[in-house]
């Protein structure tokens, strides 16, 4: 249909041409608030970086440091494949480089000493003050005091003259343990390990106290107190030897042999304190042996009568029990090596002077400022044979250089047989000091060390140093001699970079992370507070800190100063990563930090570390000096992001695809994310993987003892960490390629990518299954040792018992034989408990809950539940006994609901219904449904639109069969309720109670899938009204989701809101219905909007006034547009220009969705000449162009006049007056769209023109007065017309305007005559008098003149 345009095209209402208020009502696809998942972000781009790490076991092996990918030779089941992956990972970590490999012949100075706290190798835990009682004793001292640490017991000691005091420095108010039983001043104190069999078992250490006259042995025992600290006790041994004149200053003991050596300041000899349990014929209980001088002394003291000069003496001793070597360092920087032979023999085998050392250095490096003849050796540290094969000793110079020495024999380079003594010692490697503190690199320089620097003076005043395995270096540097304060430099090997050389063929580099600390005082002693580090029993893999960072506690080292004891904790890589991402804000900071880790440690190690942090493994020192897990949600989320988005991708090795038409899945190398997961699992279980589950022994009192080889507490810790990992993988599997399921296949674009993803899924799925097996296997072992395992083992057949002796944790977790053996043990547990009269329910429940895959007790529980049900049927359901039996059967059925078949469930429900156990039947069906889909995949399938085909649809089908049984129960319950009334004689009937019980179960169920299915069933049965009486958040979610698809659900939703006093939410739904694409008529949409306006105007608790006003404004505006559209619709229905053949199409376009003002104006109102509608559109769109509005009014008057003439139903002026009154009301007398100053002249011209003589003279002003237009406004307009003297109101025709002015003045006077102020105010009255005075000369005549004078008289009278 096309109309001839009644008005020319012009700018239309709204801010843009032809778009009146477009942004307010039109809908369209929203702009995305965030980038789509497929966008090329920096995170995604980084996934294409280099990949490394352990390979899939069936595909790779390690050769000469290279990963060689090999095709699988046989098909492995997922568990076996995952177990092989774990074994490959453990083997690879056991091949961590030996110390000798990266400390070869040469020099190095590679440090990363950053000011960034996240990269610090050690972290200060706490400062423990020295107790006040020590200072009180110190104030009474006369001669000398000394201080030291027994860090392994968390104790410190101080000697004050003749007394020695010990205290637990970790205790806030420690008790002092004192040794004051001798009168001489103490010169040295040392804690050593006693010789086996000499003392009672409780004496685990000897306190060797040297005085000016003798050397005394004091027994020491320790035990743990309930608060967690250590308590020591001292015992007299009555063992001592005379040492008069020796001035003993050093004592050292062998931990394996119990031998005690000591030296004094009077000479450079090495003495031994010999002791035994009892005196013999030719040997006392204790004695003194001089191993470097002549003769053997026992209890006879030696006296020196000659003049003694200052001579060379020993300043440090160190023992290497692994090689049976004793090292001494003299005051002249000479190192002597002694070979400890059996019994009391000690042979001097090597003497290494400072000159010899300098000669060795000269062959290795060019001259430097810090290696001169003026330097001295200030400390020596042993390197055990367990840690290195070649390196024996580390010497520290006064300039901070570390000299790594190796000992050799005359016939071989490396000593293999430690019973043979070495004959020479050579320099192997020199590690120069780090850069000085002022030249430290910035945070961005981590991993970019400054290269070789042989002249750094950072440690030029090194006073002493200590080194602990696997390379923790504590160097104490004197900075200010006057203040007696030390700077502490700490360094530790960067295991991640040592394990991963940048160029695989090249050897690893000796890279260390460093840290500077100002102690604020002078260091007195340093000690290792934890067990010595050891990742393996051989040099290969010994220093692999990464492998044991979750398996062993971090090393802690205590430093004693004259102000207190400071403890430092070794920070693991996982701690560094957690702190690094915690300190970096935003996505860019996280990405930069993760990329830096990948560059330094590889993508696999980064993935494993990020996964560990996400599982809560990161530790940090809190503000109150506690070491606590980093559980900050932001840090965990960042770690999760790093693992998911930076885990790399699987890769297809096409070089192996020889003579094959299709790629093989075995040629795909899994992603570094997979390798990181395997690495993390392997590190968690490394301590138990190859260990036996149990070992047989004999109790001291006799009888078989079966003990775990791994402590149960350790097993629980491992199980807890694995459970956290399992929960992490479960909650994030949808984001991880390989675990996301079929959805991930939608993102592949090539066949190779699909194959790679399948291989990734196979590898990850196997690890997930293995993880579950390990968790349940540990639970089984814990359960096994909770029983009387000795009786259980004795009851086993000999063959099964031998299998148990040989069973390892790996076999239990991964092999069929292990599982079968576990099932046999479970059967024995159940049989033994039944034989002992135990409750089979308790046993079966415990086994099912802890290790369900290892037990077969479910059948027993199911049978017992069925038996209870039969007994209830025989007893009668109405009795209390019968109801108890029914409840018991339900409890048993629910215990094994995950194993109930559909036939068993249906049988149980059918049995429950005749016995009116409706609530129990519903509970059982819901329990089975929930257990059939533990992952709740059916819910996600429903929420994602029930796409087909989808594997999750199968899960929903299984649950649906259970829900159908619930529907059957509800139908039976409703039928029974209809047959009986709810009450009899005012009492509730049994059926009514059963109905309440059943619906209570239904309404309180948290099974969202069931609730959705139930609501669907209600609607299919025509029970929609039941939904309105349900108060459940699931119903709202259900209706909200369905409301976008079906108008019935949308109607139910707003009715539900209205019924439950939520009018604001009801208004939102009604507004959405009015705007929806549902096939609704315009009248229905207007009805929704009207109801929405009412609801939006109603107060709703919890909804702010502003929100309510915004909603009300949107509804009102849309309602205005809908009413305008309805005006057009009504006009189109009666418009004869719309031909019958197009009527239905045209009306259908308007009688539906609410159109925009642009469409209504351009396509209908303007084209059809519906000028009153155009004015309404102007009003709604806030269009204020006066020309457009004036022309539209003029066209409206002309059209209305013509239609009145054509219809003949009314006078034209009456029709025009009616349309003005109607629009004035709808437009609210708007100044823009109802311009009175324009309308009055238009109507006056119309009245004096084509309607002259028609109607009464004042119908124009009466029309506006009917609209309650103020007389003052009308008078202003008419006065202007009078004075403007415009055609046609000039000359004699001015009387028309004058008459209207007189009429308005009379009406105004009549309305205000009875008020206190005539015409509103004296100003208005004076103005009216002036106007009336001018009317007599401007067209009034006859009676009007008299009326004018009379009115003036009245006004003047009222003003007096």
């Amino acid at each position: 249909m096309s109309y001839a345009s009644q008005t020319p095209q012009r700018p239309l209402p709204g801010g843009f041409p032809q778009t009146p208020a477009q942004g307010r009502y039109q809908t369209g696809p929203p702009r995305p608030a965030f980038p789509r998942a497929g966008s090329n972000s920096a995170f995604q781009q980084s996934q294409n970086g280099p990949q490394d790490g352990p390979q899939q076991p069936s595909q790779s092996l390690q050769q000469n440091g290279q990963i060689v990918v090999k095709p699988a030779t046989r098909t492995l089941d997922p568990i076996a494949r995952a177990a092989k992956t774990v074994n490959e990972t453990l083997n690879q970590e056991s091949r961590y480089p030996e110390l000798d490999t990266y400390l070869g012949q040469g020099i190095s100075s590679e440090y990363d000493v950053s000011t960034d706290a996240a990269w610090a190798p050690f972290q200060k835990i706490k400062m423990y003050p020295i107790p006040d009682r020590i200072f009180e004793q110190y104030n009474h001292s006369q001669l000398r005091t000394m201080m030291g640490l027994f860090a392994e017991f968390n104790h410190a000691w101080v000697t004050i003259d003749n007394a020695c005091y010990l205290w637990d420095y970790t205790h806030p108010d420690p008790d002092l343990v004192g040794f004051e039983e001798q009168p001489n001043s103490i010169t040295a104190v040392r804690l050593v390990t006693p010789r086996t069999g000499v003392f009672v078992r409780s004496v685990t250490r000897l306190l060797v106290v040297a005085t000016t006259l003798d050397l005394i042995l004091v027994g020491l025992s320790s035990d743990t107190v309930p608060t967690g600290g250590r308590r020591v006790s001292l015992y007299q041994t009555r063992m001592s030897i005379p040492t008069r004149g020796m001035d003993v200053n050093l004592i050292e003991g062998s931990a394996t042999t119990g031998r005690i050596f000591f030296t004094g300041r009077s000479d450079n000899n090495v003495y031994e304190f010999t002791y035994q349990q009892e005196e013999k014929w030719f040997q006392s209980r204790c004695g003194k042996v001089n191993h470097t001088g002549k003769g053997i002394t026992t209890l006879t003291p030696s006296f020196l009568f000659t003049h003694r000069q200052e001579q060379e003496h020993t300043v440090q001793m160190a023992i290497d029990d692994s090689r049976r070597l004793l090292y001494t360092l003299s005051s002249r920087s000479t190192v002597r090596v002694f070979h400890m032979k059996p019994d009391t023999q000690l042979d001097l085998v090597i003497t290494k002077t400072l000159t010899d050392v300098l000669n060795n250095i000269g062959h290795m490096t060019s001259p430097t400022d810090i290696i001169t003849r003026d330097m001295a050796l200030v400390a020596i540290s042993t390197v055990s044979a367990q840690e290195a094969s070649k390196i024996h000793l580390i010497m520290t110079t006064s300039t901070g250089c570390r000299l790594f020495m190796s000992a050799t024999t005359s016939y071989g380079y490396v000593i293999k047989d430690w019973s043979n003594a070495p004959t020479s010692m050579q320099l192997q490697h020199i590690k120069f000091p780090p850069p000085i503190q002022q030249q430290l690199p910035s945070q961005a320089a981590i991993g970019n060390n400054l290269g070789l620097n042989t002249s750094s003076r950072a440690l030029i005043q090194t006073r002493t140093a200590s080194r602990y395995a696997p390379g923790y270096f504590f160097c104490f540097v004197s900075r200010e001699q006057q203040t007696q304060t030390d700077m502490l430099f700490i360094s530790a090997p960067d295991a991640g970079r040592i394990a991963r050389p940048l160029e695989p063929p090249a050897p690893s580099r000796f890279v260390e992370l460093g840290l500077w600390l100002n102690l604020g005082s002078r260091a007195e002693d340093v000690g290792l507070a934890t067990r010595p580090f050891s990742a393996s029993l051989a040099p290969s893999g010994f220093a692999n800190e990464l492998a044991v960072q979750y398996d062993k506690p971090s090393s802690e080292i205590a430093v004693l100063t004259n102000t207190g004891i400071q403890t430092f904790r070794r920070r693991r890589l996982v701690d560094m990563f957690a702190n690094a991402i915690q300190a970096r804000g935003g996505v860019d900071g996280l990405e930069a930090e993760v990329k830096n880790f990948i560059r330094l440690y590889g993508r696999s190690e980064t993935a494993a570390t990020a996964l560990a942090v996400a599982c809560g493994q990161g530790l940090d020192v809190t503000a109150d000096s506690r070491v606590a897990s980093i559980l900050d949600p932001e840090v965990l989320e960042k770690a999760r992001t790093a693992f998911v988005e930076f885990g790399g991708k699987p890769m297809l090795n096409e070089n192996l695809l020889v003579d094959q038409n299709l790629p093989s899945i075995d040629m795909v190398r899994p992603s570094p994310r997979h390798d990181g997961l395997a690495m993390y699992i392997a590190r968690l279980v490394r301590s138990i993987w190859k260990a036996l589950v149990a070992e047989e022994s004999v109790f001291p009192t006799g009888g078989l003892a079966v003990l775990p080889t791994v402590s149960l507490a350790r097993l629980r810790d491992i199980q807890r960490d694995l459970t956290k990992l399992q929960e992490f993988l479960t909650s994030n599997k949808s984001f991880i390629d390989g675990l996301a399921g079929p959805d991930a296949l939608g993102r592949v674009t090539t066949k190779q990518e699909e194959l790679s993803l399948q291989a990734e899924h196979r590898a990850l799925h196997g690890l997930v299954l293995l993880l579950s097996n390990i968790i349940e296997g540990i639970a089984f072992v814990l359960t096994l040792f909770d029983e009387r395992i000795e009786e259980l083992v004795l009851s086993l057949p000999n063959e099964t018992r031998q299998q148990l002796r040989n069973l390892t944790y790996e076999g239990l977790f991964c092999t069929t034989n292990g599982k079968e053996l576990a099932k046999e043990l479970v059967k024995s547990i159940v049989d033994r408990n039944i034989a002992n009269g135990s409750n089979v329910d308790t046993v079966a429940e415990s086994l099912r809950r802890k290790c369900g895959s290892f037990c077969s007790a479910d059948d027993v529980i199911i049978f017992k539940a069925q038996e209870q049900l039969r007994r209830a049927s025989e007893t009668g359901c109405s009795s209390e006994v019968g109801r108890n039996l029914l409840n018991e059967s339900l409890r048993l059925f629910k215990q094994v609901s995950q194993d109930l078949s559909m036939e068993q469930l249906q049988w149980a429900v059918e049995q429950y219904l005749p016995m009116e156990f409706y609530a129990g039947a519903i509970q059982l069906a819901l329990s089975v449904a929930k257990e059939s889909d533990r992952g709740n995949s059916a819910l996600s399938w429903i929420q994602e639109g029930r796409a087909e085909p989808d594997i999750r649809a199968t899960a929903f089908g299984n649950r649906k069969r259970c829900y159908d049984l619930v529907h059957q129960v509800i139908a039976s319950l409703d039928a029974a309720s209809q047959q009986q009334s709810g009450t009899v004689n005012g009492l509730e009937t049994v059926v009514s109670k059963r109905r309440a019980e059943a619906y209570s179960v239904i309404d309180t169920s948290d099974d969202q899938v069931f609730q959705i299915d139930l609501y669907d069933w209600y609607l299919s049965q025509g029970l929609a009204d039941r939904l309105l009486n349900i108060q459940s958040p699931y119903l709202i979610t259900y209706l909200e989701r369905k409301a976008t698809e079906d108008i019935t659900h949308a109607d139910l939703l707003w009715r539900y809101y209205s019924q439950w006093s939520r009018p604001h939410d009801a208004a939102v739904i009604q507004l959405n219905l009015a705007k929806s694409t549902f096939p609704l008529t315009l009248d229905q949409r207007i009805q929704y909007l009207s109801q929405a306006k009412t609801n939006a105007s109603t107060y709703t608790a919890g909804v702010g006034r502003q929100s309510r006003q915004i909603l009300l404004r949107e509804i009102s505006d849309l309602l205005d547009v809908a009413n305008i559209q309805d005006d057009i619709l009504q006009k189109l229905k009666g418009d004869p220009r719309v031909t019958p053949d197009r009527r239905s199409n045209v009306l259908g376009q308007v009688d539906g969705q609410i159109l925009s003002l642009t469409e209504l104006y351009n396509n209908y109102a303007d084209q059809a000449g519906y000028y009153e509608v155009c004015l309404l559109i102007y009003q709604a769109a806030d269009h204020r162009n006066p020309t457009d509005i004036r022309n539209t009014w003029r066209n409206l008057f002309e059209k209305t006049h013509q239609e009145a003439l054509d219809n003949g139903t009314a006078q034209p002026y009456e029709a025009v007056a009616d349309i003005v009154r109607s629009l004035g009301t709808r437009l609210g007398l708007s100044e823009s769209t109802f311009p009175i100053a324009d309308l009055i002249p238009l109507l006056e011209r119309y009245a004096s023109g084509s309607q002259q003589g028609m109607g009464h003279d004042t119908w124009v002003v009466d029309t506006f007065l009917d609209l309650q237009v103020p007389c003052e406004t009308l008078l202003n307009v008419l006065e202007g017309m009078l004075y403007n003297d415009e055609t046609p109101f000039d000359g004699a025709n001015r009387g028309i305007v004058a008459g209207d002015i007189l009429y308005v003045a009379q009406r105004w006077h009549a309305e205000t005559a009875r008020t206190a102020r005539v015409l509103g105010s004296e100003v208005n009255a004076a103005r009216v008098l002036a106007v009336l005075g001018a009317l007599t000369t401007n067209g009034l005549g006859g009676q009007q003149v008299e009326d004018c004078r009379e009115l003036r008289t009245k006004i003047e009278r009222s003003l007096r």
Side-chain angles (χ1 to χ4, degrees), residues 691-717:
L692 293 173
V693 172
E695 60 181 357
E696 294 185 5
S697 180
V698 179
F699 285 115
T701 57
L704 176 67
V706 181
L707 305 173
T709 59
V710 180
S711 69
L712 300 184
R714 179 65 190 141
L715 287 177
R716 293 188 184 95
D717 291 341

Side-chain angles (χ1 to χ4, degrees), residues 839 841-842 845 861 864-865 885-897 912 917 924:
N839 191 336
D841 301 337
T842 304
E845 167 61 18
I861 297 178
K864 187 164 186 177
L885 291 171
L886 287 174
N887 287 322
E888 179 64 14
S889 69
L890 173 62
R891 186 185 67 82
L892 294 174
F893 274 132
K894 289 175 67 176
Q895 287 179 5
V896 292
S897 55
Y912 283 147
F917 195 41
L924 180 58

Side-chain angles (χ1 to χ4, degrees), residues 1172-1188:
E1172 64 270 45
V1173 177
C1174 290
L1175 290 170
L1176 295 174
I1177 292 176
Y1178 294 158
Q1179 174 77 6
D1182 198 20
H1183 182 65
R1184 295 175 178 269
N1185 190 315
T1187 304
D1188 291 343

Side-chain angles (χ1 to χ4, degrees), residues 194-434:
R195 183 172 294 166
T196 304
V198 177
F199 304 100
V200 295
R201 289 185 178 181
S202 60
V203 176
T204 57
R205 295 290 189 275
L206 290 178
L207 183 65
V208 185
V209 180
T211 70
T212 54
L213 295 182
D214 48 17
L215 200 65
I216 305 169
L217 298 187
V218 181
L220 184 146
S221 66
S222 69
D223 55 350
T224 303
V225 297
T227 57
R230 301 292 293 272
R231 177 175 55 198
V232 299
S233 301
L234 301 181
Y235 303 93
Q236 282 282 3
T237 63
R238 297 182 181 179
M239 290 185 177
S240 64
I241 58 174
T243 58
R244 180 183 295 274
M246 296 179 61
D247 194 12
V248 175
N249 64 326
L250 289 176
I251 305 170
E252 192 61 63
S254 170
T256 56
T257 62
R259 299 176 68 177
I260 302 174
F261 303 96
F262 62 95
T263 65
R265 291 187 179 88
S266 60
D267 54 38
N268 201 27
N269 293 329
V270 176
Y271 300 88
E272 181 176 356
F273 189 138
T274 62
Y275 58 97
Q276 59 188 7
Q277 187 176 18
E278 297 176 352
E279 292 186 1
K280 298 182 180 180
W281 281 101
F282 302 102
Q283 193 174 11
S284 302
R285 289 186 64 197
C286 52
K288 178 176 64 177
V289 178
N290 185 348
H291 289 291
T292 53
K294 293 183 179 180
I296 300 177
T297 62
T298 55
L299 296 179
T300 304
S302 61
F303 298 94
L304 295 177
F305 299 99
T306 61
H307 179 68
R308 185 177 62 183
Q309 299 179 350
E310 183 68 26
Q311 63 177 9
E312 182 181 12
H313 62 276
T314 304
V315 295
Q316 185 181 355
M317 288 194 298
I319 292 179
D320 181 2
D321 280 315
S322 64
R323 296 185 175 96
R324 300 178 184 174
L325 297 177
L326 167 66
Y327 301 90
T328 66
L329 174 63
S330 75
S331 58
R332 297 178 183 175
S333 297
T334 297
V335 174
R336 293 187 296 174
V337 184
F338 298 86
H339 185 225
M340 296 187 297
K341 292 184 176 181
D343 297 329
T344 60
Q345 299 183 51
L346 185 72
D347 294 344
L348 175 63
V349 293
I350 299 174
T351 299
K352 194 78 172 178
T353 65
L354 180 60
T355 302
D356 295 335
V357 173
L358 291 173
N359 291 335
N360 291 158
I361 295 174
H363 292 294
M364 189 171 293
T365 182
S366 58
T368 175
D369 294 340
I370 60 175
I371 297 182
T372 65
R373 294 189 178 277
D374 294 332
M375 76 175 188
L377 300 180
V378 296
I380 56 174
S381 300
T382 62
V383 179
S384 68
Q386 184 182 356
E387 184 176 359
S389 301
K390 297 179 182 179
I391 306 297
H392 286 55
L393 185 70
I394 302 174
M395 303 177 183
T396 304
T397 71
S398 58
T399 57
C401 296
R402 280 174 282 169
L403 311 179
F404 294 83
M405 313 297 293
S406 63
T408 61
T409 63
S410 58
Y411 52 85
Y413 184 76
V414 180
I415 302 174
K416 298 295 184 181
D417 184 5
W418 305 124
S419 63
N420 295 323
T423 57
S424 65
M425 178 176 286
Q426 300 298 326
L427 177 63
Q428 182 78 11
H429 189 89
I430 305 174
K431 186 64 180 280
F432 285 93

